[in-house]
């Protein structure tokens, strides 16, 4: 009987220790996950900025086809960034990124028409991204 009590106490202690270990491990997980999400957001925004700047260089070099492709490439990371802002409830930032997407679409349309004013739209998109990320 005494041996059975000791086994039962050992099992209870083991369960408590495992529960505490799980809780301790889970507490840092939320913070780490948030840091990963923030890093992904920054990476997407940096990728979009890079594509827009590269597109502006192509426009300066009068390479409208390349600029058009780069504008298209910039849409994907901007869309992901906008969606993350919406999921996080950051409505102002999401609207700013949506405005940047509109400028990118207009720049792409103008580049398709071989219009150098696509550069102005790309500049506006970069400004919209800057404003959205400062909110």
């Amino acid at each position: 009987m005494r041996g059975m009590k000791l086994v039962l106490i050992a099992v209870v202690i083991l369960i408590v220790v495992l529960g505490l270990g799980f809780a301790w491990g889970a507490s840092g997980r939320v913070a780490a996950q948030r840091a990963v999400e923030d890093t992904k957001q920054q990476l997407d925004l940096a990728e979009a900025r890079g594509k827009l700047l590269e597109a502006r260089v192509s426009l300066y070099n009068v390479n409208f086809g390349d600029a058009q492709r780069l504008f298209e490439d910039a849409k994907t990371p901007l869309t992901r960034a906008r969606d993350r802002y919406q999921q996080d409830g950051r409505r102002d930032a999401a609207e700013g990124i949506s405005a940047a997407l509109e400028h990118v679409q207009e720049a792409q349309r103008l580049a398709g028409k071989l219009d150098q004013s696509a550069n102005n739209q790309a500049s506006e998109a970069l400004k919209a991204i800057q404003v959205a990320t400062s909110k």
Side-chain angles (χ1 to χ4, degrees), residues 20-62:
L20 290 174
F22 178 77
W24 186 22
S27 67
R29 183 174 184 225
V30 172
Q33 233 172 354
R34 183 68 196 159
V36 167
E37 288 300 317
D38 289 344
T39 302
K40 284 181 182 178
Q41 185 74 336
Q42 290 173 358
L43 181 62
D44 280 339
L45 291 171
E47 181 183 352
R49 282 187 197 109
K51 296 290 182 186
L52 290 172
L53 291 170
E54 197 174 346
R56 290 185 75 189
V57 170
S58 292
L59 289 170
Y60 284 128
N61 291 330
V62 195

Side-chain angles (χ1 to χ4, degrees), residues 22 29 67 83 114 127:
F22 178 77
R29 183 174 184 225
D83 293 345
L114 308 179
K127 287 178 189 173

Side-chain angles (χ1 to χ4, degrees), residues 52-61 64 67 71 103 106-108 110-111 114-127:
L52 290 172
L53 291 170
E54 197 174 346
R56 290 185 75 189
V57 170
S58 292
L59 289 170
Y60 284 128
N61 291 330
F64 292 98
F71 286 134
H103 288 298
E106 181 64 15
Q108 186 178 19
L110 290 170
L114 308 179
D115 189 346
Q116 278 288 346
S117 62
N119 191 20
N120 295 334
Q121 290 297 319
S123 176
E124 291 300 317
L126 287 166
K127 287 178 189 173

Side-chain angles (χ1 to χ4, degrees), residues 2-109:
R2 182 163 166 84
M4 197 65 141
K5 248 185 182 180
L6 287 176
V7 170
L8 183 61
I9 290 173
V11 168
V12 169
I13 290 173
L14 180 65
I15 290 172
V16 169
V17 168
L18 286 174
L20 290 174
F22 178 77
W24 186 22
S27 67
R29 183 174 184 225
V30 172
Q33 233 172 354
R34 183 68 196 159
V36 167
E37 288 300 317
D38 289 344
T39 302
K40 284 181 182 178
Q41 185 74 336
Q42 290 173 358
L43 181 62
D44 280 339
L45 291 171
E47 181 183 352
R49 282 187 197 109
K51 296 290 182 186
L52 290 172
L53 291 170
E54 197 174 346
R56 290 185 75 189
V57 170
S58 292
L59 289 170
Y60 284 128
N61 291 330
V62 195
N63 187 346
F64 292 98
D66 191 42
Q68 220 178 356
R69 179 187 58 79
L70 289 165
F71 286 134
E72 183 65 33
D73 291 346
K75 289 180 189 178
T76 303
L78 282 175
T79 303
R80 284 192 306 254
R82 180 196 60 199
D83 293 345
R84 269 196 214 97
Y85 278 139
Q86 287 173 343
Q87 288 173 352
D88 290 346
R90 295 184 60 191
R91 195 167 168 231
D92 291 342
E95 289 173 2
I97 298 298
S98 292
L101 273 166
E102 291 172 12
H103 288 298
V104 169
Q105 289 172 341
E106 181 64 15
Q108 186 178 19
R109 186 186 69 77

